[in-house]
Amino acid sequence: MAEHLIVIAYLTARAGKEDGARKMLQALVAPTRVEAGCITYDLHEMHGDATRFLFYEIWRSAADLEAHSKSAHMMAFREIRAEFLSGPTELTKWRKIE
């Protein structure tokens, strides 16, 4: 069985834009979950800090993640992200060990 690619993405909302950031990020969940190769795509908000968000993702392959980055909803996200988010997204890639 091929090794899955695990992605953790950290995002921070601009001060005063937390609700808009949350809605923008929630709008990515449904279309991403139906993409080819998406196994898990979950959005989290930091307990006690409504400005911090995390996506926990599992992809079948790096190629599937690359296709996701070129999807229409991700392209639209990149167009408006600066209005709601501060700084770049911190994206880390992982593999499960047993």
Side-chain angles (χ1 to χ4, degrees):
M1 180 167 111
E3 185 176 276
H4 293 144
L5 177 61
I6 299 165
V7 176
I8 299 176
Y10 301 93
L11 307 100
T12 303
R14 289 188 178 281
K17 298 282 188 167
E18 297 87 354
D19 289 341
R22 185 181 305 101
K23 289 175 185 169
M24 176 187 62
L25 297 173
Q26 285 174 311
L28 298 174
V29 174
T32 299
R33 285 182 175 167
V34 297
E35 288 181 48
C38 180
I39 297 168
T40 300
Y41 193 80
D42 294 330
L43 175 63
H44 303 268
E45 181 178 277
M46 182 179 277
H47 182 63
D49 185 351
T51 67
R52 303 291 311 272
F53 298 92
L54 174 147
F55 276 109
Y56 176 78
E57 312 170 25
I58 303 176
W59 294 91
R60 187 179 54 210
S61 69
D64 291 318
L65 176 61
E66 178 68 19
H68 164 65
S69 73
K70 296 177 181 176
S71 66
H73 57 278
M74 289 305 294
M75 301 290 272
F77 162 73
R78 282 193 281 282
E79 292 290 322
I80 63 169
R81 73 174 306 287
E83 179 181 347
F84 298 99
L85 300 178
S86 68
T89 300
E90 180 186 345
L91 190 74
T92 59
K93 297 177 183 176
W94 303 79
R95 65 182 175 87
K96 183 178 180 179
I97 58 174
E98 301 199 28

